[in-house]
Amino acid sequence: MSALAELYTIPQEYLDFRDTIRQIAVDRIAPRAAEIDERAEYPRDLRELLSEHDVLGLPFDTEYGGTGTGTLMLNIAVEEIAKACASTALILMVQELGTLPIRLFGTDDQKDRFLPRCASGEWSPAFALSEPEAGSDPGGMLTHAVEDGNEWVIDGTKNWISNLGIADFYIVFAVTDREAGHSHGITAFIVEADRPGFSVGKLEHKLGIRGSPTGQPIFDGVRVPAENVVGEVNEGFGVAMTTLDRSRLGVAAQALGIAQGAADYAAAYARERKQFGKPINAFQAIQFKLADMETECAAARELLYQACAKIDRGDPDIGKYSAMAKLFCSDVAMRVTVEAVQVLGGYGYVKEYPVERMLRDAKITQIYEGTNEIQRLVIARTLR
């Protein structure tokens, strides 16, 4: 591939949309962020706000009522929202994650039934892959589904599922052929939240992203029709992995937004905070911290945007690049938020200032949608 083909551009209309989202984040989302975190409260008002401004339509093609603007624009938006509030950014991230299986593998009927109502913001999805004993290893999955006539009966418990109790439907992965092994024995199903046998189990009390409910959906003899199978029976592992190759860029964008938000706040604080008769940004020790923080954010952004552009172009190496972007951006988020707390000193350690929340929010980006240890494995396998 030529060097020219590797470049990406951001059209002016996307930059204008970014600026609109940035202003919404500053004016409407940032003032709510501390309260959302303190109360561990799902921000329904902000979901409605994002819907009103077509932000929740970003993951979708125009034929389903979306913006049709692609992966790069979607993750620019995630980044801008995450600068203000990581929990609110997750609303948009899950809107992509929970619908990608339908967009990539769904039937025309499934797309018509679910995508327009998600693009409008009326419905919200969830992605139910992980289990108490099966996090990084889908082969340990216990949730199973048995065919019964024209229906499937699902039994089991998932864990660490974002949007629990909020989602209108769940993409549920279940074992349908135990002898085939996880790569050819798992099937993906659409399970509407109002189906008998579905219930909301334990909600987790978390370190960060406290405004997004996470926990255990329970499936007790839940019956779904055959038309709710996503993709082919026994090929759900491929559905999950193909989805995650794309959706983990949302985690990278969230991590970058957290990092940039922390870097911006630390730089502004250092201009105002005085010690020994001068602003602390006059001291080289602080200057070097701020310089490193800004440099790491800029480098992370280039890798993220390049990975997004690869998905929009349909390049063959998107798995490698999405893993690298997720790995690098989340590690940057941890380093930058730790340094932001250090720049603020004692003020960085208290809830009156946002960087302690940003530090707590950053940690999950190294864990969910594939731990960074798993991302390193994914990258390493491409180098053999």
Side-chain angles (χ1 to χ4, degrees):
M1 187 176 291
S2 70
L4 183 62
E6 292 289 343
L7 299 177
Y8 67 85
T9 58
I10 305 176
Q12 185 60 46
E13 63 188 281
Y14 291 13
L15 296 175
D16 292 342
F17 198 6
R18 178 203 64 190
D19 292 344
T20 298
I21 295 167
R22 179 178 294 171
Q23 202 61 50
I24 292 169
V26 170
D27 294 344
R28 302 286 297 278
I29 297 174
R32 291 269 287 116
E35 180 184 25
I36 290 167
D37 176 73
E38 182 68 25
R39 295 184 177 181
E41 179 181 87
Y42 182 79
R44 293 182 183 276
D45 58 322
L46 297 183
R47 175 178 160 184
E48 292 174 5
L49 176 69
L50 296 178
S51 177
E52 290 167 6
H53 289 85
D54 294 328
V55 176
L56 295 186
L58 282 166
F60 306 99
D61 292 336
T62 54
E63 64 184 297
Y64 300 109
T67 60
T69 45
T71 303
L72 179 54
M73 182 65 237
L74 167 66
N75 287 304
I76 288 173
V78 171
E79 177 190 350
E80 291 299 326
I81 297 167
K83 287 180 187 177
C85 176
S87 291
T88 304
L90 196 54
I91 295 174
L92 177 55
M93 293 160 60
V94 174
Q95 208 74 358
E96 181 198 28
L97 171 62
T99 57
L100 265 172
I102 298 174
R103 288 162 50 205
L104 295 172
F105 296 94
T107 63
D108 289 342
D109 175 67
Q110 289 170 349
K111 292 175 183 178
D112 290 340
R113 284 162 57 201
F114 293 96
L115 299 187
R117 298 179 82 167
C118 289
S120 69
E122 178 188 355
W123 278 1
S124 187
F127 183 85
L129 176 64
S130 296
E131 296 188 3
E133 302 301 324
S136 298
D137 175 23
M141 186 179 297
L142 298 178
T143 298
H144 59 278
V146 177
E147 195 170 13
D148 182 17
N150 290 325
E151 294 182 316
W152 289 84
V153 184
I154 304 173
D155 287 280
T157 300
K158 296 293 182 177
N159 207 20
W160 318 116
I161 306 306
S162 299
N163 244 17
L164 179 63
I166 300 296
D168 296 279
F169 65 91
Y170 296 74
I171 304 296
V172 179
F173 296 85
V175 175
T176 45
D177 185 349
R178 186 69 66 184
E179 301 303 317
H182 70 268
S183 60
H184 292 288
I186 292 171
T187 302
F189 300 90
I190 302 169
V191 179
E192 296 90 339
D194 58 1
R195 288 196 174 272
F198 171 81
S199 62
V200 173
K202 182 181 71 169
L203 287 167
E204 304 292 350
H205 300 281
K206 298 175 297 181
L207 176 72
I209 56 163
R210 287 166 46 78
S212 178
T214 304
Q216 295 186 336
I218 299 169
F219 306 89
D220 183 8
V222 176
R223 289 182 170 271
V224 297
E227 56 262 31
N228 277 26
V229 171
V230 181
E232 299 297 324
V233 172
N234 293 331
E235 299 300 327
F237 181 77
V239 173
M241 295 304 106
T242 303
T243 295
L244 293 172
D245 277 347
R246 290 157 174 77
S247 67
R248 69 170 65 102
L249 289 178
V251 178
Q254 181 190 41
L256 173 58
I258 294 167
Q260 190 66 66
D264 292 347
Y265 195 91
Y269 177 88
R271 287 192 293 270
E272 301 298 326
R273 172 69 167 162
K274 288 186 170 58
Q275 291 282 276
F276 306 104
K278 60 178 72 173
I280 63 172
N281 70 354
F283 299 106
Q284 192 175 76
I286 300 298
Q287 291 172 353
F288 282 10
K289 285 185 186 298
L290 296 174
D292 287 345
M293 292 158 70
E294 188 69 10
T295 300
E296 289 208 82
C297 287
R301 184 170 296 107
E302 289 304 312
L303 181 55
L304 169 64
Y305 286 14
Q306 183 63 264
C308 291
K310 282 180 172 292
I311 287 180
D312 286 338
R313 288 195 300 261
D315 289 358
D317 54 353
I318 60 173
K320 173 184 176 181
Y321 271 81
S322 67
M324 291 195 298
K326 194 269 189 186
L327 166 67
F328 189 73
C329 289
S330 59
D331 283 352
V332 164
M334 281 305 300
R335 288 195 294 268
V336 168
T337 54
V338 166
E339 289 290 60
V341 169
Q342 193 70 19
V343 170
L344 268 69
Y347 291 111
Y349 202 67
V350 298
K351 291 191 174 184
E352 184 179 350
Y353 292 79
V355 292
E356 69 86 29
R357 167 172 48 83
M358 293 170 171
L359 172 58
R360 289 186 287 106
D361 287 343
K363 184 58 195 175
I364 192 60
T365 67
Q366 293 181 310
I367 298 171
Y368 64 1
E369 291 201 40
T371 65
N372 281 8
E373 289 74 19
I374 292 293
Q375 303 313 317
R376 288 180 170 91
L377 284 176
V378 171
I379 298 161
R381 286 170 182 163
T382 70
L383 306 177
R384 291 176 180 171

